[in-house]
Amino acid sequence: MVFTVRVSVAVPAAAPGGAGDLVTAEAVALDLRPARLGSRAVALLIDILVQAAIGGCLMLLAGVTVAILPERVVDDALVGTVWRVLIVLVLLAYPTIVETRTNGRSPGKAAMGLRVIREDGGPIRVRHAFTRALVGFTVEWPGLLLPFVTWAGSLTTMIASGRGRRLGDLAAGTLVVHERRPAPSRFVPGMPADLQAWAATADLSAIDDELAGAVRQYLSRAPELREPHFGTLQRMLAAEVEARVSPPPPAGTPPWLVLSAVLAERRRRYAAQLAAGRLVTERVLPGFGRRPLHPPIPAVRRASPLR
């Protein structure tokens, strides 16, 4: 079936054992791009600014509340307890709640297109977010235990990790990945000159979109494939295409030339049909579907004279 062919094309292109390969509980390999030090540092800076703003507002509110309390109630112990509670809320409770509620996307990570996920590719839970925040609070940032030493250790761990994981990620079993992955531009061969006359007269109506998509995927990723996958997939696709094309291609034509010719001719016919449809639409409904360069200015009614 065509579906089987499409799955087979995608498997060899993945790099086994790569830094971005994750295997889910269903044994499905995910090709993800781990976030590195640069993007995570910018995201951390944004999160620090947000936390500083929230902490400033809470401290202002706490200061006003303490100021209006009776003097016999306020003492050094109360003030110290309030400040400690605020620090825990801002540096521990806030990141835990935000990463849990937003599915691993704090304001800084959302701005940089990052997300925290589990090692198996699933969404994080409260325990993962709390572990990350707790390790960051005590070791990494701000790091209550030997700040400068732990900062250097965390930075070294992130640089040395193949997936850019910090100490909090190692403790929680998580990692940070890019949500927005740039789509690589792939080259698809054009029409072979020797097969142009045959393709122009061939009946391609039996080749559906699914089979054409499988051929396009194979041709665009052929340089990444290795034997025996390269030859096996080429023969399977060529056999199915030739069985649906009439008349058959010239004898002795290499399979990859047949695939390229069929795909290019199908694309040419689709473009011709689209252009013809646009001409008919323009003839029947001139200007339909086009936005004017200068939208008309609504007429202004003259105000009636005052009486």
PDB file of all heavy atoms in Angstrom, residues 199-223:
ATOM      1  N   ALA A 199       5.464  12.105 -21.192  1.00  0.00           N
ATOM      2  CA  ALA A 199       4.668  12.551 -20.060  1.00  0.00           C
ATOM      3  C   ALA A 199       3.516  13.450 -20.497  1.00  0.00           C
ATOM      4  O   ALA A 199       2.445  13.428 -19.882  1.00  0.00           O
ATOM      5  CB  ALA A 199       5.558  13.293 -19.061  1.00  0.00           C
ATOM      6  N   ALA A 200       3.701  14.218 -21.563  1.00  0.00           N
ATOM      7  CA  ALA A 200       2.658  15.136 -22.005  1.00  0.00           C
ATOM      8  C   ALA A 200       1.437  14.391 -22.520  1.00  0.00           C
ATOM      9  O   ALA A 200       0.316  14.919 -22.471  1.00  0.00           O
ATOM     10  CB  ALA A 200       3.205  16.074 -23.076  1.00  0.00           C
ATOM     11  N   THR A 201       1.611  13.167 -23.035  1.00  0.00           N
ATOM     12  CA  THR A 201       0.489  12.393 -23.564  1.00  0.00           C
ATOM     13  C   THR A 201       0.043  11.273 -22.642  1.00  0.00           C
ATOM     14  O   THR A 201      -0.916  10.555 -22.971  1.00  0.00           O
ATOM     15  CB  THR A 201       0.883  11.793 -24.919  1.00  0.00           C
ATOM     16  OG1 THR A 201       2.039  10.955 -24.755  1.00  0.00           O
ATOM     17  CG2 THR A 201       1.219  12.901 -25.921  1.00  0.00           C
ATOM     18  N   ALA A 202       0.702  11.091 -21.525  1.00  0.00           N
ATOM     19  CA  ALA A 202       0.375   9.981 -20.622  1.00  0.00           C
ATOM     20  C   ALA A 202      -0.879  10.294 -19.819  1.00  0.00           C
ATOM     21  O   ALA A 202      -1.187  11.453 -19.505  1.00  0.00           O
ATOM     22  CB  ALA A 202       1.548   9.697 -19.690  1.00  0.00           C
ATOM     23  N   ASP A 203      -1.619   9.250 -19.482  1.00  0.00           N
ATOM     24  CA  ASP A 203      -2.805   9.369 -18.639  1.00  0.00           C
ATOM     25  C   ASP A 203      -2.383   9.203 -17.189  1.00  0.00           C
ATOM     26  O   ASP A 203      -1.986   8.118 -16.762  1.00  0.00           O
ATOM     27  CB  ASP A 203      -3.823   8.293 -19.029  1.00  0.00           C
ATOM     28  CG  ASP A 203      -5.098   8.382 -18.210  1.00  0.00           C
ATOM     29  OD1 ASP A 203      -5.273   9.398 -17.486  1.00  0.00           O
ATOM     30  OD2 ASP A 203      -5.914   7.440 -18.271  1.00  0.00           O
ATOM     31  N   LEU A 204      -2.457  10.292 -16.407  1.00  0.00           N
ATOM     32  CA  LEU A 204      -2.031  10.285 -15.004  1.00  0.00           C
ATOM     33  C   LEU A 204      -3.206  10.356 -14.042  1.00  0.00           C
ATOM     34  O   LEU A 204      -3.016  10.618 -12.855  1.00  0.00           O
ATOM     35  CB  LEU A 204      -1.086  11.476 -14.740  1.00  0.00           C
ATOM     36  CG  LEU A 204       0.109  11.624 -15.674  1.00  0.00           C
ATOM     37  CD1 LEU A 204       0.934  12.840 -15.279  1.00  0.00           C
ATOM     38  CD2 LEU A 204       0.966  10.362 -15.663  1.00  0.00           C
ATOM     39  N   SER A 205      -4.413  10.123 -14.530  1.00  0.00           N
ATOM     40  CA  SER A 205      -5.595  10.279 -13.674  1.00  0.00           C
ATOM     41  C   SER A 205      -5.628   9.264 -12.540  1.00  0.00           C
ATOM     42  O   SER A 205      -6.253   9.509 -11.502  1.00  0.00           O
ATOM     43  CB  SER A 205      -6.861  10.152 -14.518  1.00  0.00           C
ATOM     44  OG  SER A 205      -6.902   8.890 -15.188  1.00  0.00           O
ATOM     45  N   ALA A 206      -4.973   8.114 -12.693  1.00  0.00           N
ATOM     46  CA  ALA A 206      -5.006   7.079 -11.649  1.00  0.00           C
ATOM     47  C   ALA A 206      -4.022   7.369 -10.517  1.00  0.00           C
ATOM     48  O   ALA A 206      -4.048   6.682  -9.498  1.00  0.00           O
ATOM     49  CB  ALA A 206      -4.703   5.712 -12.256  1.00  0.00           C
ATOM     50  N   ILE A 207      -3.167   8.353 -10.696  1.00  0.00           N
ATOM     51  CA  ILE A 207      -2.203   8.689  -9.645  1.00  0.00           C
ATOM     52  C   ILE A 207      -2.855   9.707  -8.721  1.00  0.00           C
ATOM     53  O   ILE A 207      -3.070  10.865  -9.103  1.00  0.00           O
ATOM     54  CB  ILE A 207      -0.906   9.255 -10.254  1.00  0.00           C
ATOM     55  CG1 ILE A 207      -0.251   8.198 -11.144  1.00  0.00           C
ATOM     56  CG2 ILE A 207       0.050   9.700  -9.166  1.00  0.00           C
ATOM     57  CD1 ILE A 207       1.037   8.651 -11.785  1.00  0.00           C
ATOM     58  N   ASP A 208      -3.191   9.276  -7.519  1.00  0.00           N
ATOM     59  CA  ASP A 208      -3.885  10.159  -6.579  1.00  0.00           C
ATOM     60  C   ASP A 208      -2.885  11.020  -5.812  1.00  0.00           C
ATOM     61  O   ASP A 208      -1.659  10.909  -5.966  1.00  0.00           O
ATOM     62  CB  ASP A 208      -4.748   9.349  -5.620  1.00  0.00           C
ATOM     63  CG  ASP A 208      -3.958   8.243  -4.920  1.00  0.00           C
ATOM     64  OD1 ASP A 208      -2.705   8.274  -4.988  1.00  0.00           O
ATOM     65  OD2 ASP A 208      -4.574   7.353  -4.320  1.00  0.00           O
ATOM     66  N   ASP A 209      -3.431  11.881  -4.967  1.00  0.00           N
ATOM     67  CA  ASP A 209      -2.578  12.799  -4.202  1.00  0.00           C
ATOM     68  C   ASP A 209      -1.681  12.063  -3.218  1.00  0.00           C
ATOM     69  O   ASP A 209      -0.557  12.499  -2.944  1.00  0.00           O
ATOM     70  CB  ASP A 209      -3.450  13.809  -3.442  1.00  0.00           C
ATOM     71  CG  ASP A 209      -4.198  14.739  -4.383  1.00  0.00           C
ATOM     72  OD1 ASP A 209      -3.753  14.888  -5.536  1.00  0.00           O
ATOM     73  OD2 ASP A 209      -5.226  15.312  -3.968  1.00  0.00           O
ATOM     74  N   GLU A 210      -2.145  10.947  -2.681  1.00  0.00           N
ATOM     75  CA  GLU A 210      -1.344  10.217  -1.695  1.00  0.00           C
ATOM     76  C   GLU A 210      -0.099   9.622  -2.338  1.00  0.00           C
ATOM     77  O   GLU A 210       1.010   9.727  -1.810  1.00  0.00           O
ATOM     78  CB  GLU A 210      -2.190   9.134  -1.048  1.00  0.00           C
ATOM     79  CG  GLU A 210      -1.517   8.479   0.155  1.00  0.00           C
ATOM     80  CD  GLU A 210      -2.445   7.526   0.880  1.00  0.00           C
ATOM     81  OE1 GLU A 210      -3.559   7.284   0.361  1.00  0.00           O
ATOM     82  OE2 GLU A 210      -2.058   7.034   1.941  1.00  0.00           O
ATOM     83  N   LEU A 211      -0.276   9.017  -3.504  1.00  0.00           N
ATOM     84  CA  LEU A 211       0.875   8.442  -4.199  1.00  0.00           C
ATOM     85  C   LEU A 211       1.816   9.547  -4.674  1.00  0.00           C
ATOM     86  O   LEU A 211       3.046   9.420  -4.572  1.00  0.00           O
ATOM     87  CB  LEU A 211       0.411   7.594  -5.380  1.00  0.00           C
ATOM     88  CG  LEU A 211       1.516   6.963  -6.237  1.00  0.00           C
ATOM     89  CD1 LEU A 211       2.441   6.102  -5.389  1.00  0.00           C
ATOM     90  CD2 LEU A 211       0.911   6.155  -7.381  1.00  0.00           C
ATOM     91  N   ALA A 212       1.261  10.643  -5.187  1.00  0.00           N
ATOM     92  CA  ALA A 212       2.109  11.761  -5.614  1.00  0.00           C
ATOM     93  C   ALA A 212       2.881  12.348  -4.445  1.00  0.00           C
ATOM     94  O   ALA A 212       4.054  12.730  -4.581  1.00  0.00           O
ATOM     95  CB  ALA A 212       1.256  12.842  -6.278  1.00  0.00           C
ATOM     96  N   GLY A 213       2.252  12.399  -3.276  1.00  0.00           N
ATOM     97  CA  GLY A 213       2.954  12.893  -2.092  1.00  0.00           C
ATOM     98  C   GLY A 213       4.091  11.979  -1.682  1.00  0.00           C
ATOM     99  O   GLY A 213       5.157  12.442  -1.263  1.00  0.00           O
ATOM    100  N   ALA A 214       3.884  10.663  -1.800  1.00  0.00           N
ATOM    101  CA  ALA A 214       4.953   9.719  -1.482  1.00  0.00           C
ATOM    102  C   ALA A 214       6.117   9.864  -2.451  1.00  0.00           C
ATOM    103  O   ALA A 214       7.289   9.810  -2.057  1.00  0.00           O
ATOM    104  CB  ALA A 214       4.402   8.298  -1.500  1.00  0.00           C
ATOM    105  N   VAL A 215       5.812  10.061  -3.741  1.00  0.00           N
ATOM    106  CA  VAL A 215       6.879  10.250  -4.733  1.00  0.00           C
ATOM    107  C   VAL A 215       7.634  11.542  -4.455  1.00  0.00           C
ATOM    108  O   VAL A 215       8.871  11.588  -4.521  1.00  0.00           O
ATOM    109  CB  VAL A 215       6.278  10.257  -6.152  1.00  0.00           C
ATOM    110  CG1 VAL A 215       7.348  10.616  -7.183  1.00  0.00           C
ATOM    111  CG2 VAL A 215       5.671   8.902  -6.471  1.00  0.00           C
ATOM    112  N   ARG A 216       6.904  12.602  -4.151  1.00  0.00           N
ATOM    113  CA  ARG A 216       7.554  13.891  -3.862  1.00  0.00           C
ATOM    114  C   ARG A 216       8.446  13.779  -2.632  1.00  0.00           C
ATOM    115  O   ARG A 216       9.565  14.311  -2.607  1.00  0.00           O
ATOM    116  CB  ARG A 216       6.503  14.972  -3.649  1.00  0.00           C
ATOM    117  CG  ARG A 216       7.083  16.363  -3.433  1.00  0.00           C
ATOM    118  CD  ARG A 216       6.000  17.382  -3.173  1.00  0.00           C
ATOM    119  NE  ARG A 216       5.073  17.472  -4.295  1.00  0.00           N
ATOM    120  CZ  ARG A 216       3.837  16.984  -4.286  1.00  0.00           C
ATOM    121  NH1 ARG A 216       3.377  16.363  -3.194  1.00  0.00           N
ATOM    122  NH2 ARG A 216       3.053  17.106  -5.330  1.00  0.00           N
ATOM    123  N   GLN A 217       7.974  13.098  -1.611  1.00  0.00           N
ATOM    124  CA  GLN A 217       8.779  12.942  -0.401  1.00  0.00           C
ATOM    125  C   GLN A 217      10.043  12.137  -0.689  1.00  0.00           C
ATOM    126  O   GLN A 217      11.130  12.472  -0.209  1.00  0.00           O
ATOM    127  CB  GLN A 217       7.959  12.260   0.698  1.00  0.00           C
ATOM    128  CG  GLN A 217       8.690  12.158   2.023  1.00  0.00           C
ATOM    129  CD  GLN A 217       7.882  11.418   3.068  1.00  0.00           C
ATOM    130  OE1 GLN A 217       6.977  10.674   2.739  1.00  0.00           O
ATOM    131  NE2 GLN A 217       8.211  11.620   4.323  1.00  0.00           N
ATOM    132  N   TYR A 218       9.906  11.090  -1.500  1.00  0.00           N
ATOM    133  CA  TYR A 218      11.073  10.270  -1.814  1.00  0.00           C
ATOM    134  C   TYR A 218      12.101  11.066  -2.620  1.00  0.00           C
ATOM    135  O   TYR A 218      13.298  11.037  -2.327  1.00  0.00           O
ATOM    136  CB  TYR A 218      10.643   9.026  -2.583  1.00  0.00           C
ATOM    137  CG  TYR A 218      11.813   8.269  -3.159  1.00  0.00           C
ATOM    138  CD1 TYR A 218      12.607   7.458  -2.361  1.00  0.00           C
ATOM    139  CD2 TYR A 218      12.145   8.394  -4.511  1.00  0.00           C
ATOM    140  CE1 TYR A 218      13.689   6.777  -2.883  1.00  0.00           C
ATOM    141  CE2 TYR A 218      13.228   7.721  -5.042  1.00  0.00           C
ATOM    142  CZ  TYR A 218      13.998   6.914  -4.222  1.00  0.00           C
ATOM    143  OH  TYR A 218      15.078   6.257  -4.731  1.00  0.00           O
ATOM    144  N   LEU A 219      11.646  11.775  -3.658  1.00  0.00           N
ATOM    145  CA  LEU A 219      12.575  12.511  -4.504  1.00  0.00           C
ATOM    146  C   LEU A 219      13.268  13.638  -3.738  1.00  0.00           C
ATOM    147  O   LEU A 219      14.445  13.930  -3.977  1.00  0.00           O
ATOM    148  CB  LEU A 219      11.838  13.082  -5.718  1.00  0.00           C
ATOM    149  CG  LEU A 219      11.320  12.059  -6.730  1.00  0.00           C
ATOM    150  CD1 LEU A 219      10.543  12.753  -7.833  1.00  0.00           C
ATOM    151  CD2 LEU A 219      12.471  11.246  -7.315  1.00  0.00           C
ATOM    152  N   SER A 220      12.547  14.282  -2.825  1.00  0.00           N
ATOM    153  CA  SER A 220      13.150  15.387  -2.086  1.00  0.00           C
ATOM    154  C   SER A 220      14.130  14.917  -1.023  1.00  0.00           C
ATOM    155  O   SER A 220      15.050  15.651  -0.651  1.00  0.00           O
ATOM    156  CB  SER A 220      12.046  16.233  -1.431  1.00  0.00           C
ATOM    157  OG  SER A 220      11.327  15.470  -0.479  1.00  0.00           O
ATOM    158  N   ARG A 221      13.967  13.687  -0.556  1.00  0.00           N
ATOM    159  CA  ARG A 221      14.835  13.183   0.510  1.00  0.00           C
ATOM    160  C   ARG A 221      15.763  12.069   0.030  1.00  0.00           C
ATOM    161  O   ARG A 221      16.434  11.425   0.836  1.00  0.00           O
ATOM    162  CB  ARG A 221      13.981  12.669   1.673  1.00  0.00           C
ATOM    163  CG  ARG A 221      12.981  13.678   2.186  1.00  0.00           C
ATOM    164  CD  ARG A 221      12.214  13.196   3.386  1.00  0.00           C
ATOM    165  NE  ARG A 221      13.047  13.111   4.554  1.00  0.00           N
ATOM    166  CZ  ARG A 221      12.576  12.864   5.783  1.00  0.00           C
ATOM    167  NH1 ARG A 221      11.283  12.670   5.962  1.00  0.00           N
ATOM    168  NH2 ARG A 221      13.395  12.804   6.806  1.00  0.00           N
ATOM    169  N   ALA A 222      15.796  11.854  -1.267  1.00  0.00           N
ATOM    170  CA  ALA A 222      16.650  10.782  -1.807  1.00  0.00           C
ATOM    171  C   ALA A 222      18.119  10.949  -1.438  1.00  0.00           C
ATOM    172  O   ALA A 222      18.788   9.945  -1.134  1.00  0.00           O
ATOM    173  CB  ALA A 222      16.480  10.703  -3.326  1.00  0.00           C
ATOM    174  N   PRO A 223      18.696  12.181  -1.452  1.00  0.00           N
ATOM    175  CA  PRO A 223      20.110  12.290  -1.068  1.00  0.00           C
ATOM    176  C   PRO A 223      20.408  11.871   0.367  1.00  0.00           C
ATOM    177  O   PRO A 223      21.554  11.570   0.701  1.00  0.00           O
ATOM    178  CB  PRO A 223      20.413  13.782  -1.278  1.00  0.00           C
ATOM    179  CG  PRO A 223      19.403  14.246  -2.274  1.00  0.00           C
ATOM    180  CD  PRO A 223      18.178  13.463  -1.962  1.00  0.00           C
TER     181      PRO A 223
END
